[in-house]
Amino acid sequence: MYLDLSTQSPTDIYHLMTQTIIPRPIAWVLTDSGEHNYNLAPFSYFTPVASNPPLLMFSVGKKPSGEIKDTTRNVIANKKMVVHIATIALAEQVTQTAATLEYGESEVEHTQLELTSFDGFELPRLKDCPIAFGCHLYEVKEVGETPQSLIFAEIKQIYIDDEVIDSEQKRLVIEALKVNPLSRLGGSEYAVLEKTFSVARPK
């Protein structure tokens, strides 16, 4: 099958991209809507983009009304966010936090997720996520005909649960199977890691 994207609608292109670019990591992003009222939303257009400075990027669409989403609004206003790596055990809650709520309604409260302090960072983190990045806003860039907000986040702090670290290694090594990260596929599907393997890079 060969597909010419010039003949496809934006909805069909989105469907094709999410079906073929797999698996995708999920940025589960916590932001502050004001007075410690926390917004939480998942984004699977997500990747690291640089190490100096350490930058993550995730892409945020618009609400059905055409307004910017609460995550974008909060990041622009407060310049801070916490990006979590969710686990398979949290798949239901991740999906629930994708719902469109009125501004100021907290997905954290709706899903009854527990927050805890994030040492050295201004916002809390989700207690049950093994990895969290405390980030400051680096840049927001609007792209596309129906503009997506590309949010570039500079990592300031990283939390890693000791349980997912291989303590026998000299260098920091994360055991991916212990993280058990939730991976996004197309439609309503997710995937789980079942094994890892190594391939040596050429010198």
Side-chain angles (χ1 to χ4, degrees), residues 18-184:
T18 57
Q19 292 285 322
T20 54
I21 302 171
I22 53 175
R24 301 186 306 282
I26 298 169
W28 206 13
V29 183
L30 180 140
T31 57
D32 190 353
S33 299
E35 299 182 355
H36 305 294
N37 181 20
Y38 298 111
N39 179 269
L40 183 65
F43 304 96
S44 69
Y45 279 18
F46 165 52
T47 191
V49 292
S51 301
N52 186 21
L55 298 179
L56 305 175
M57 186 281 296
F58 58 97
S59 179
V60 184
K62 300 295 188 289
K63 292 184 177 183
S65 64
E67 295 178 282
I68 62 173
K69 288 191 174 180
D70 298 347
T71 296
T72 306
R73 178 174 174 176
N74 293 344
V75 164
I76 291 172
N78 301 317
K79 317 297 185 189
K80 296 181 289 290
M81 71 213 84
V82 179
V83 179
H84 301 84
I85 303 299
T87 67
I88 292 295
L90 294 166
E92 184 65 33
Q93 291 94 325
V94 169
T95 303
Q96 289 176 14
T97 60
T100 300
L101 303 180
E102 292 294 324
Y103 186 73
E105 288 189 58
S106 174
E107 292 83 359
V108 176
E109 293 183 5
H110 274 261
T111 51
Q112 298 183 323
L113 289 160
E114 186 175 353
L115 298 176
T116 189
S117 61
F118 192 154
D119 290 348
F121 196 68
E122 302 94 325
L123 298 180
R125 59 177 177 83
L126 295 171
K127 184 177 180 181
D128 292 333
C129 286
I131 298 173
F133 303 92
C135 302
H136 287 181
L137 176 63
Y138 185 81
E139 182 180 4
V140 177
K141 185 174 180 62
E142 297 290 310
V143 298
E145 296 297 323
T146 305
Q148 296 272 130
S149 301
L150 301 188
I151 296 178
F152 293 86
E154 183 173 355
I155 303 168
K156 296 296 185 179
Q157 303 283 343
I158 302 178
Y159 164 79
I160 305 170
D161 188 335
D162 290 340
E163 293 298 317
V164 305
I165 297 172
D166 184 346
S167 59
E168 295 183 2
Q169 304 294 326
K170 292 182 179 179
R171 190 177 187 185
L172 177 65
V173 174
I174 308 297
E175 296 192 68
L177 294 180
K178 287 187 177 180
V179 175
N180 202 15
L182 187 62
S183 300
R184 193 75 169 92

